[in-house]
Amino acid sequence: MSLTMEGLGALYDTNTKSSATTNQLEDTLKSDLSKATEDELMDVCKDFEAYFTEQMFKAMQKMIPESEEVSASTRQLQDYYKEQMVQSFAEQSAQGEGLGLAQMLYEQMKRNYGLE
């Protein structure tokens, strides 16, 4: 197995993974969740909260000015690791109490689907 610079570049394409996550979440939310178990419903709500938190973190990062002195390849690596860090923080925050968004969505969805 050999890695070329083009192959490595694909690893650092953060938009692809983010887009795939967005599409997967959209598909899940569009599906019929009326037959979902309470655990599955809570998992969907936590996934949404993690996605929402990730988008907030990304918006906050855009407000921080970037240095002009960084090379393109270094910036690509920085972007990759920032993306990984933001996704990890967002997922971890949703697993605990998080923002409370997942719990509110869960309660509303239970009422909507008559699971109470």
Side-chain angles (χ1 to χ4, degrees), residues 1 3 13 34 43 57 61 64 69 75 86 92 96 116:
M1 177 180 167
L3 288 175
D13 185 6
S34 62
D43 286 344
F57 286 156
Q61 279 184 336
I64 300 170
E69 299 172 10
R75 185 168 313 280
V86 165
Q92 288 175 9
E116 290 190 292

Side-chain angles (χ1 to χ4, degrees), residues 43-112:
D43 286 344
V44 169
C45 293
K46 285 182 178 183
D47 288 347
F48 179 80
E49 182 173 340
Y51 174 78
F52 180 80
T53 305
E54 180 181 341
Q55 296 309 307
M56 284 189 341
F57 286 156
K58 287 178 181 179
M60 288 187 282
Q61 279 184 336
K62 287 181 182 178
M63 291 188 265
I64 300 170
E66 293 188 10
S67 172
E68 299 292 326
E69 299 172 10
V70 178
S71 71
S73 61
T74 301
R75 185 168 313 280
Q76 199 173 25
L77 283 171
Q78 285 177 339
D79 290 346
Y80 172 76
Y81 286 110
K82 274 198 271 186
E83 178 77 17
Q84 296 302 312
M85 181 186 67
V86 165
Q87 285 178 352
S88 179
F89 284 162
E91 289 170 6
Q92 288 175 9
S93 73
Q95 293 307 314
E97 285 186 32
L99 301 173
L101 183 60
Q103 187 63 40
M104 287 189 290
L105 285 170
Y106 173 73
E107 294 299 328
Q108 182 63 44
M109 290 175 89
K110 275 180 45 177
R111 284 191 295 275
N112 289 351

